[in-house]
Amino acid sequence: MQRRTVWLIFAVVLLAALGFWRQWQVLQPDALTLRGETMGTTYSVRIAGRPALSAERLQALLTERLGQVNASMSTWDPRSEISRINAAPADTPLRLGADLRIVLAAALALSRATDGAFDPTVGPLVNLWGFGPDRGSGEPLPGAVAEIQRRIGYRHAELEGDVLTKTREGLQIDLSAIAKGFGVDALARVLEANGIRDYVVEIGGDLVVRGHNPQGQPWGIGIERPDEAAPPGEALQAVVRLEAGALATSGTYRRFKRAQGGVRHHIIDPRTGYPTQPTLAEVTVYAPDCMTADGIATALMVLGVREGMAWVEARPGIEALFVEEGADRTLRRQFSSGFPALQPPQ
Ligand code: ADP
Ligand code: MG
């Protein structure tokens, strides 16, 4: 036989074996995966080991919890708690439900920590640029941007305990940049409450991890390259092995937008009123919980690589991966100093 033929047979056998192994991994009995749709995207919950309750019961509990989070925070639902608060007049005390209070408090803390790069009152600008529930017609006039800028500002949302007072007429609260992360954490708490300790919970690519996979190893999480032209073997730009913690990605990259299934998003710099620099394709953040990771990922898109990296390095327990797109469409990755420790040794 020719040497080339031998190699070919070897390659075919190897591929078949790998395929079989992957199938075995998926089919093994002590792993459970539940899936569904929420927040304009999909979710998945992966569990190692056998939970004490049935898959149907667990799915019902997860669905119920997601329903509560959406009824509280969805700006796309005119009957949600947040929509009612946005319709309410200024200078009247508004009592918030427990979920909304937690998320708004976190959003306002992040606004202060980033000096307004993150701002949960940015909604009217998001709409003006054509990305929110009330879609604008596209490129707005500079005068319109300045006019809306005068109507926003996180300092006009005063939260004391569970009472919010809007001190500016027409102030809108938009928690889209952080609510998904909260949803992930909320589902993880449902699992914990049912004695589940080994899981990955994910909504639209943002996730939280705890414990081990069915093989008893830390969960391996691949971070995809934001590059639709990347060959399959090179589609991962990093693999991290986690036993605890959360990862969230924020981006304006073409592929990312399409993956959102019609719910286009855009990130606006509240300080200029304009969308963020298109050269920063996406940011992935590691944090102890997913609400924190989600909020910071959006904030770092606004701060940009230089300012954002300094912000991350000053905060222990937070790591980030910035992906910039060069003029020739090549991607440039920059990791914060602690990020490599999340990856397995090469
Ligand atoms: P995704 O929802 O796709 O995961 P993000 O978490 O980055 O992405 O959230 C993007 C959303 O955040 C936007 O659709 C908008 O509603 C809101 N947003 C945009 N700019 C800002 C900002 N500077 N601060 C806070 N929220 C923002
Ligand atoms: Mg976010």
Side-chain angles (χ1 to χ4, degrees):
M1 240 188 298
Q2 279 190 353
R3 260 173 76 178
R4 266 173 62 186
T5 318
V6 173
W7 273 111
L8 199 66
I9 292 171
F10 174 72
V12 168
V13 170
L14 185 72
L15 285 176
L18 279 176
F20 178 78
W21 179 72
R22 284 182 65 153
Q23 221 168 24
W24 172 82
Q25 247 196 342
V26 174
L27 293 178
Q28 63 181 313
D30 58 344
L32 175 66
T33 304
L34 302 173
R35 295 175 195 281
E37 288 183 11
T38 187
M39 301 182 183
T41 181
T42 57
Y43 74 86
S44 69
V45 173
R46 238 166 277 257
I47 297 164
R50 283 247 155 256
L53 69 176
S54 72
E56 291 71 31
R57 177 80 191 116
L58 188 55
Q59 182 103 51
L61 291 175
L62 297 174
T63 306
E64 185 191 2
R65 189 66 184 103
L66 287 171
Q68 291 167 348
V69 174
N70 281 315
S72 165
M73 271 164 260
S74 172
T75 46
W76 302 80
D77 175 1
R79 291 154 312 162
S80 69
E81 186 183 5
I82 201 164
S83 293
R84 276 187 280 116
I85 278 162
N86 284 340
D91 301 317
T92 42
L94 305 162
R95 195 167 295 278
L96 307 184
D99 287 346
L100 194 55
R101 184 190 66 77
I102 290 168
V103 180
L104 182 59
L108 293 174
L110 185 57
S111 303
R112 289 188 289 270
T114 59
D115 224 353
F118 188 93
D119 190 328
T121 69
V122 79
L125 278 174
V126 178
N127 285 335
L128 181 71
W129 283 99
F131 290 103
D134 314 324
R135 289 189 179 168
S137 52
E139 188 76 19
L141 298 169
V145 173
E147 198 271 319
I148 290 194
Q149 254 184 315
R150 281 193 290 275
R151 291 200 271 125
I152 67 169
Y154 68 94
R155 290 196 178 82
H156 300 284
E158 286 179 11
L159 184 62
E160 269 187 55
D162 61 356
V163 175
L164 168 70
T165 310
K166 303 193 284 182
T167 62
R168 190 174 261 186
E169 207 57 66
L171 196 79
Q172 305 283 303
I173 310 290
D174 170 14
L175 298 170
S176 312
I178 188 169
K180 201 165 70 181
F182 177 79
V184 171
D185 293 336
L187 294 190
R189 276 189 289 271
V190 170
L191 301 184
E192 297 276 346
N194 286 282
I196 298 164
R197 298 285 181 269
D198 297 291
Y199 56 78
V200 180
V201 173
E202 172 263 339
I203 303 180
D206 295 349
L207 54 92
V208 71
V209 168
R210 182 165 173 198
H212 296 92
N213 67 15
Q215 288 80 41
Q217 308 286 325
W219 294 94
I221 310 292
I223 302 173
E224 268 183 47
R225 265 162 60 141
D227 180 0
E228 52 193 305
E234 288 173 34
L236 295 183
Q237 58 181 340
V239 176
V240 296
R241 297 221 163 256
L242 297 177
E243 290 178 325
L247 288 170
T249 298
S250 188
T252 54
Y253 207 79
R254 299 177 292 279
R255 183 179 167 279
F256 200 81
K257 272 197 229 169
R258 216 173 40 220
Q260 292 296 304
V263 186
R264 294 184 300 164
H265 84 248
H266 220 96
I267 297 163
I268 311 291
D269 186 341
R271 305 165 302 183
T272 63
Y274 281 73
T276 56
Q277 283 294 319
T279 49
L280 183 52
E282 65 173 40
V283 181
T284 296
V285 171
Y286 171 84
D289 63 88
C290 203
M291 177 171 70
T292 303
D294 190 6
I296 292 176
T298 306
L300 294 180
M301 284 295 299
V302 179
L303 289 177
V305 183
R306 227 172 54 87
E307 209 184 327
M309 192 63 92
W311 194 95
V312 169
E313 294 294 6
R315 284 165 178 83
I318 309 292
E319 304 298 339
L321 159 60
F322 295 82
V323 183
E324 282 182 294
E325 189 184 21
D328 55 355
R329 291 195 59 195
T330 53
L331 298 172
R332 198 163 95 94
R333 299 177 298 169
Q334 277 170 273
F335 295 90
S336 63
S337 57
F339 207 104
L342 303 173
Q343 297 174 79
Q346 299 297 309

